[in-house]
Amino acid sequence: MNYINIKSIVLTAGLCMASSVCAQKSGTVQLPELPPFPEVPTALKENMVKLEDSNTFKEVQLDIPITDGPFKPSWESIESNYPGEPEWLREAKIGFWVHFGPQAAGESGDWYARKLYTQGSNAYNNHLKRYGHPSEVGYKEVLRDWNPTKLDPQRLTALYKKAGARFLMIQGVHHDNYDLWNSRYQPWNSVNVGPKRDLLREWVNACKKQKMHYGVTFHHEYTWWWWQTAFQSDTYGDKKGVPYDGNLTLADGKGKWWEGLDPRRLYGINLREYDSVAEKANSPWSPANAGIFWRHLEYANGMPLNGLLE
């Protein structure tokens, strides 16, 4: 993607989230609406485009206004306002990470959403049996049908505290790009699609009841390359060459259950024209080579902005 100043992103993210809370409480700042999806050029053949050198490409700075407060976008400001670790964390000793979401529905291990689009993988084979072929029934249908009725954050949080935990890290969104709350900036979320529950709010309420500290984890940094499997197709068999559902457009949803939901806001866009992207798409872990997606600058700049708004 189009790399930007990571230090600024990390700092601005924390400041933006704090500012959003302040703005919502004070009513002095109006949060922006969901920005339109950027224009995307027609995808070229795989490996046709060379990535630009990120070391020489002009750095992009995001101009995001924040509410006035004690924090400034610098490490010095963070240090001065948070000198050392918080006292409660020193005393807490144990915390749990609630790493749970719709990918568990595939019963195929971690990264199920990505791997179900890799022909021959365990996730792909299980998806065929449980849902169907990913050209017809993909991860969006997994989200539609996901309904963890037995998930009880109140009971579990009480159990975690009994086991010794004094804080929880709660998964807000995994690499699958599906928000587990009533998200203003991601229509593919657990209130709109799937269980119709604000799961993050349920966990937060449970933590407050148990007087436990909590944090929320975001995994957006992988999203741009993580979904590139969804833009390929079978390489053998009856469905050879039939595109998977990552290639669907907003217009394709007319008359379907997902009408009005843009698949690009879930799967991202096809970036396999850049060298190494297609090659690394089915790797167990590795992203594509570092570089600039220079034909998609508007999209690349919009991704971190949308993530910060979330």
Side-chain angles (χ1 to χ4, degrees), residues 138-210:
Y139 189 61
K140 64 184 189 307
E141 277 74 32
V142 175
L143 298 178
R144 177 197 64 190
D145 298 341
W146 182 56
N147 188 17
T149 55
K150 294 183 180 180
L151 176 64
D152 186 348
Q154 290 285 352
R155 183 183 67 83
L156 288 171
T157 303
L159 179 64
Y160 298 155
K161 186 174 183 178
K162 186 177 180 181
R166 293 299 176 263
F167 67 95
L168 297 184
M169 295 302 294
I170 308 161
Q171 181 176 291
V173 53
H174 197 246
H175 313 315
D176 64 347
N177 216 17
Y178 175 78
D179 289 355
L180 295 172
W181 73 95
N182 190 15
S183 177
R184 183 188 184 107
Y185 297 106
Q186 171 55 298
W188 295 90
N189 66 65
S190 62
V191 174
N192 284 345
V193 180
K196 304 295 191 295
R197 291 168 62 183
D198 190 330
L199 296 171
L200 180 55
R201 172 53 59 190
E202 292 182 29
W203 283 110
V204 168
N205 289 344
C207 287
K208 289 181 177 179
K209 183 176 181 180
Q210 297 297 328

Side-chain angles (χ1 to χ4, degrees), residues 142-298:
V142 175
L143 298 178
R144 177 197 64 190
D145 298 341
W146 182 56
N147 188 17
T149 55
K150 294 183 180 180
L151 176 64
D152 186 348
Q154 290 285 352
R155 183 183 67 83
L156 288 171
T157 303
L159 179 64
Y160 298 155
K161 186 174 183 178
K162 186 177 180 181
R166 293 299 176 263
F167 67 95
L168 297 184
M169 295 302 294
I170 308 161
Q171 181 176 291
V173 53
H174 197 246
H175 313 315
D176 64 347
N177 216 17
Y178 175 78
D179 289 355
L180 295 172
W181 73 95
N182 190 15
S183 177
R184 183 188 184 107
Y185 297 106
Q186 171 55 298
W188 295 90
N189 66 65
S190 62
V191 174
N192 284 345
V193 180
K196 304 295 191 295
R197 291 168 62 183
D198 190 330
L199 296 171
L200 180 55
R201 172 53 59 190
E202 292 182 29
W203 283 110
V204 168
N205 289 344
C207 287
K208 289 181 177 179
K209 183 176 181 180
Q210 297 297 328
K211 294 181 171 53
M212 292 174 63
H213 292 273
Y214 65 89
V216 180
T217 63
F218 287 68
H219 301 240
H220 281 136
E221 77 279 12
Y222 283 10
T223 302
W224 68 268
W225 61 267
W226 198 80
W227 271 120
Q228 291 305 302
T229 53
F231 297 97
Q232 50 194 21
S233 60
D234 284 2
T235 58
Y236 57 85
D238 295 341
K239 298 282 189 179
K240 179 180 178 180
V242 179
Y244 296 154
D245 73 327
N247 293 279
L248 293 172
T249 67
L250 179 62
D252 292 325
K254 188 173 182 180
K256 307 283 186 18
W257 72 264
W258 50 278
E259 182 173 1
L261 290 169
D262 192 339
R264 297 176 301 179
R265 292 197 181 274
L266 177 64
Y267 300 118
I269 62 171
N270 188 350
L271 296 167
R272 297 166 67 88
E273 65 189 60
Y274 294 96
D275 57 56
S276 78
V277 173
E279 172 193 351
K280 298 291 183 67
N282 297 293
S283 68
W285 180 266
S286 303
N289 297 337
I292 304 296
F293 295 137
W294 57 272
R295 279 186 11 101
H296 299 81
L297 295 183
E298 186 180 357

